[in-house]
Amino acid sequence: AKLVPTVFAAEQYQVLKAKLWTRYSEKDMKVVLFVGTTSGSGASTTASNYAAMLAQDAQVKVLLIDANLRTPRPEVGKRLRAGEKGPDVSLAGLLEADSSTVYPAPGPGNLYVLPSGTKCMAPLTLFQSEAFDQFLQTVRERFDHVVIDCPPLQGFPESIVLSRKADGV
């Protein structure tokens, strides 16, 4: 059976958007990071649904990034990119290569999905790198909204580093 959010759940993501944009101007909230304190807290579900809600506006391009490089979930990219053609692109791959020449593969509609990719035992180093800063600048220019799904704070220090690079957490 296909999981369809209830009207109430969909409305709650609209409320979240309104609260964020009431507190900050839209241009100041381009990169939003979702992070939980522990695994299973619902941050990934919230990030995915928030990105999908933003992408309902046909005038905007939204990028959803799975930034959990320690425990990658390849099914995220495959599920959201079903039916799409093109090379497999991942966050780990972009950070280890020249990110200026690679563009994230499209997801459904105007929602683009960038899965984490291969397992990385030292993601903190990657997120502190110049390559990540350049990547983040590139996606800021190419997308109207960037939603980052982070690993939980407990046991994943890279989430703290990423929170300093986002416009809102």
Side-chain angles (χ1 to χ4, degrees):
K2 184 177 178 184
L3 180 63
V4 178
T6 65
V7 173
F8 176 77
E11 183 66 27
Q12 295 310 303
Y13 291 106
Q14 292 288 341
V15 169
L16 176 59
K17 175 183 172 182
K19 285 182 178 182
L20 287 172
W21 289 2
T22 300
R23 182 169 177 135
Y24 307 97
S25 74
E26 186 174 345
K27 66 181 169 101
D28 292 335
M29 288 299 293
K30 189 163 209 156
V31 177
V32 179
L33 182 135
F34 286 85
V35 61
T37 54
T38 59
S39 182
S41 64
S44 294
T45 300
T46 302
S48 298
N49 285 320
Y50 185 73
M53 183 269 310
L54 291 173
Q56 288 177 351
D57 182 347
Q59 302 300 312
V60 300
K61 288 191 332 188
V62 180
L63 175 63
L64 173 61
I65 301 172
D66 180 0
N68 191 342
L69 296 176
R70 290 184 201 231
T71 53
R73 298 169 299 156
E75 73 278 2
V76 171
K78 288 178 182 170
R79 183 179 68 237
L80 292 172
R81 291 177 47 213
E84 294 293 331
K85 303 286 187 230
D88 285 334
V89 179
S90 70
L91 179 59
L94 289 174
L95 296 179
E96 293 170 356
D98 177 11
S99 63
S100 63
T101 60
V102 183
Y103 194 73
N110 55 337
L111 173 60
Y112 294 73
V113 179
L114 184 60
S116 59
T118 58
K119 187 174 184 175
C120 175
M121 295 312 294
L124 183 61
T125 303
L126 283 177
F127 291 129
Q128 290 175 319
S129 71
E130 180 66 27
F132 181 75
D133 291 342
Q134 289 175 352
F135 165 75
L136 200 54
Q137 181 60 38
T138 299
V139 297
R140 281 179 182 276
E141 294 167 2
R142 293 182 179 173
F143 293 91
D144 299 296
H145 302 284
V146 178
V147 177
I148 303 175
D149 176 17
C150 264
L153 289 170
Q154 188 175 14
F156 296 87
E158 60 270 18
S159 293
I160 296 168
V161 169
L162 283 169
S163 69
R164 293 184 48 97
K165 297 184 180 219
D167 301 325
V169 180

